[in-house]
Amino acid sequence: MKSNIAMAEISQPYAEALMSVAQSKNLTDQFGEDVRSLLSLLSESEQLRNFLENPFVGLDDKKAVINRILGDGANAYFRNFLLLLVDRRRISLLEPVLQQYLTLLRQLKQIALAEVISAVPLTEEQQQAVRDKVIALTKAREVELDTKIDPELIGGVIIKVGSQVIDASLRGQLRRISLRLSGS
């Protein structure tokens, strides 16, 4: 846990610097899209993560891969930021920096992040009902859903927003009944 806290402390200033550039150039949303795309790519490719984090891989090789990933259409400021992370030997912090940027973007736009765990995929109507519930709880302007499937829930959903947890799963209800029965 301590290493995660230390990584967050080191990555915070970089995320804030990226946000500062994005705001000064009116590119917060575009950077948000670029950040989400890059995070998606990193989550899908362990090989890419290992390559970027490997201290024995040369800086020029890492820069070449970043340039290839971004392609010609990438924003120059975003590209330069990633190359700066390579030069500063902080590219291993890429994921925490990008995650922190998204957190800052959500704060800026008053968007709440809700992690929703359900037994089966939610319909669009169910997702909207979750958004409405979270907006009522948090007074956020918008809600971004991070959905996960866990068949062990049997039915219902678990919604996590910050430190709040709403357990409306069948498994949670059965557990609460069991606790009440064992307590009597």
Side-chain angles (χ1 to χ4, degrees):
M1 188 71 176
K2 188 176 182 185
S3 65
N4 286 346
I5 293 169
M7 285 182 79
E9 287 175 3
I10 296 169
S11 63
Q12 179 75 23
Y14 288 99
E16 289 172 356
L18 182 60
M19 177 56 76
S20 178
V21 169
Q23 286 182 291
S24 70
K25 304 298 179 190
N26 202 19
L27 295 169
T28 54
D29 290 333
Q30 182 184 339
F31 279 20
E33 290 172 23
D34 293 343
V35 164
R36 284 183 186 91
S37 297
L38 194 49
L39 279 170
S40 176
L41 186 61
L42 288 168
S43 73
E44 293 168 7
S45 176
E46 186 177 345
Q47 186 178 2
L48 175 60
R49 282 194 318 271
N50 291 340
F51 178 83
L52 291 175
E53 292 174 5
N54 188 332
F56 299 109
V57 173
L59 300 183
D60 290 337
D61 293 335
K62 290 180 182 184
K63 288 181 179 182
V65 166
I66 287 171
N67 281 318
R68 208 168 310 129
I69 288 169
L70 293 179
D72 295 334
N75 180 282
Y77 296 107
F78 189 68
R79 178 189 310 273
N80 290 341
F81 176 78
L82 297 179
L83 298 179
L84 177 73
L85 286 180
V86 173
D87 285 337
R88 296 249 174 110
R89 299 191 187 312
R90 295 293 194 203
I91 197 67
S92 62
L93 296 173
L94 182 58
E95 280 186 274
V97 167
L98 297 178
Q99 293 288 0
Q100 187 60 41
Y101 177 85
L102 290 180
T103 299
L104 293 171
L105 183 60
R106 283 186 209 102
Q107 289 171 356
L108 179 72
K109 298 197 161 286
Q110 295 180 337
I111 298 172
L113 176 64
E115 183 182 344
V116 181
I117 306 166
S118 59
V120 296
L122 299 178
T123 66
E124 190 54 47
E125 295 82 26
Q126 291 168 325
Q127 288 182 24
Q128 189 56 49
V130 169
R131 282 188 192 97
D132 294 344
K133 176 83 171 164
V134 172
I135 286 173
L137 282 173
T138 63
K139 307 293 187 254
R141 283 188 190 166
E142 294 176 47
V143 175
E144 190 177 308
L145 297 183
D146 177 16
T147 58
K148 295 180 174 66
I149 306 299
D150 181 359
E152 292 184 13
L153 291 182
I154 307 168
V157 295
I158 297 175
I159 304 168
K160 297 178 185 176
V161 182
S163 61
Q164 290 182 305
V165 177
I166 302 166
D167 187 348
S169 68
L170 191 52
R171 181 180 67 188
Q173 291 172 13
L174 292 172
R175 186 172 39 241
R176 287 189 291 276
I177 291 170
S178 171
L179 288 172
R180 277 198 300 261
L181 290 175
S182 64
S184 3

